[in-house]
Amino acid sequence: MSPLNDDQLRQFAERGFVVIPDVVPAMLLEAAMQRIDRLVEQNPPPADRRGFHFYWEQNPADTDPLVALLQESRALEIVQSLIAPLALAKLEQLQVSLNIPVWKHRPGGPHIDGIRITEPSGRPGTFTLLAGIFLTDQTASDMGNLWVWPGSHNVAASYLREHGPDALFDIEHPTYPMEAPEQVLGRAGDLFLGNYLLGHNMGGNTSAVIRRVVYFRLQAEGHRARWRDCVRDPLLEFEPARTALNRPR
């Protein structure tokens, strides 16, 4: 039985994202928080820094407590079920994303990842799925929440079907018509899953807490060879979501 129900799969297909509650247990969260504490201690943000501050880990070890958030929790099973029958490729990178208050910021629009910095071949840095694990609660707006533009993955795919997949380079900051944005809410231990083409951005933080999220930019095996097809068909690597969308309600 799939860990995602039809409502969750349809939400992912139609809106481009879904938040799954209570995925990561407290023990793994605590170990990850301690790991981030060490990162901050070793390389602290500037004293006057407000807003976003990132730490990137390339080819992280399986023993890393940050990797354990994905690989030793239900998150891995959930991700694999979303891309079945495809398999998940080896993890290449993770991002620790901090949002330091007080930052009274409201994004003017969304962006799509991986376009500005290409791979050595010149290929844009597309991937299959953005997975984010909340380490701090974001139960109200303006707590450093991720902003998303629901359904924008479908708009992007329509644009790229019309203009060709290489037009992806022109829409890092898309301006085509989209639904109004919303702020993603969740609690520590929740799992955010977003389609690669979903427009998103970071919002302000007027709370008293530094927001912490760990993001994984995940690829299904073989993604690099079919990226041009993926950006024109946003469910190409998400057959269970497509099946649920087409199932009678």
Side-chain angles (χ1 to χ4, degrees):
M1 182 176 176
S2 172
L4 297 177
N5 60 42
D6 274 7
D7 286 343
Q8 291 167 326
L9 291 168
R10 281 194 290 264
Q11 180 178 340
F12 182 86
E14 295 172 341
R15 309 193 80 219
F17 73 99
V18 65
V19 176
I20 313 301
D22 300 322
V23 171
V24 181
M27 179 179 66
L28 295 180
L29 296 175
E30 179 59 29
M33 289 288 272
Q34 292 176 6
R35 172 79 162 87
I36 295 172
D37 288 342
R38 293 194 294 273
L39 287 174
V40 172
E41 181 180 357
Q42 294 162 4
N43 187 17
D48 61 349
R49 171 60 105 182
R50 298 295 180 268
F52 60 87
H53 188 78
F54 304 141
Y55 298 92
W56 299 88
E57 300 284 317
Q58 304 295 332
N59 300 308
D62 290 343
T63 55
D64 190 320
L66 300 177
V67 175
L69 294 169
L70 174 71
Q71 295 189 350
E72 295 183 23
S73 73
R74 292 195 301 122
L76 186 61
E77 177 192 9
I78 291 168
V79 168
Q80 290 175 331
S81 75
L82 185 57
I83 66 171
L86 300 174
L88 196 62
K90 180 176 173 54
L91 179 65
E92 298 178 1
Q93 179 196 83
L94 64 82
Q95 177 192 16
V96 176
S97 176
L98 309 184
N99 192 320
I100 304 170
V102 171
W103 191 40
K104 297 180 179 179
H105 170 73
R106 302 185 76 80
H111 67 259
I112 297 174
D113 288 340
I115 299 174
R116 181 180 304 174
I117 301 175
T118 62
E119 296 183 355
S121 66
R123 190 191 81 85
T126 66
F127 48 89
T128 301
L129 180 70
L130 180 65
I133 293 174
F134 294 67
L135 297 183
T136 56
D137 291 348
Q138 296 149 66
T139 54
S141 298
D142 302 320
M143 297 181 69
N145 312 59
L146 183 71
W147 286 44
V148 295
W149 278 253
S152 57
H153 64 309
N154 289 322
V155 182
S158 177
Y159 179 92
L160 295 169
R161 285 193 296 270
E162 179 179 355
H163 296 278
D166 289 306
L168 179 66
F169 288 103
D170 302 327
I171 59 170
E172 179 183 4
H173 300 282
T175 57
Y176 36 66
M178 290 169 278
E179 289 186 27
E182 64 182 62
Q183 299 189 43
V184 177
L185 305 180
R187 295 184 179 275
D190 291 356
L191 171 66
F192 167 87
L193 299 174
N195 190 292
Y196 166 73
L197 289 172
L198 180 72
H200 61 280
N201 215 328
M202 182 181 286
N205 186 358
T206 59
S207 77
V209 177
I210 296 176
R211 187 221 67 174
R212 290 181 171 185
V213 177
V214 177
Y215 286 114
F216 304 90
R217 289 164 174 81
L218 302 174
Q219 290 188 26
E221 288 184 351
H223 171 83
R224 283 184 170 88
R226 58 176 173 267
W227 75 266
R228 287 184 169 85
D229 295 325
C230 292
V231 299
R232 290 177 289 182
D233 178 357
L235 296 182
L236 182 64
E237 296 181 310
F238 304 103
E239 192 57 36
R242 192 195 304 275
T243 299
L245 190 63
N246 293 330
R247 212 160 14 233
R249 305 193 185 195

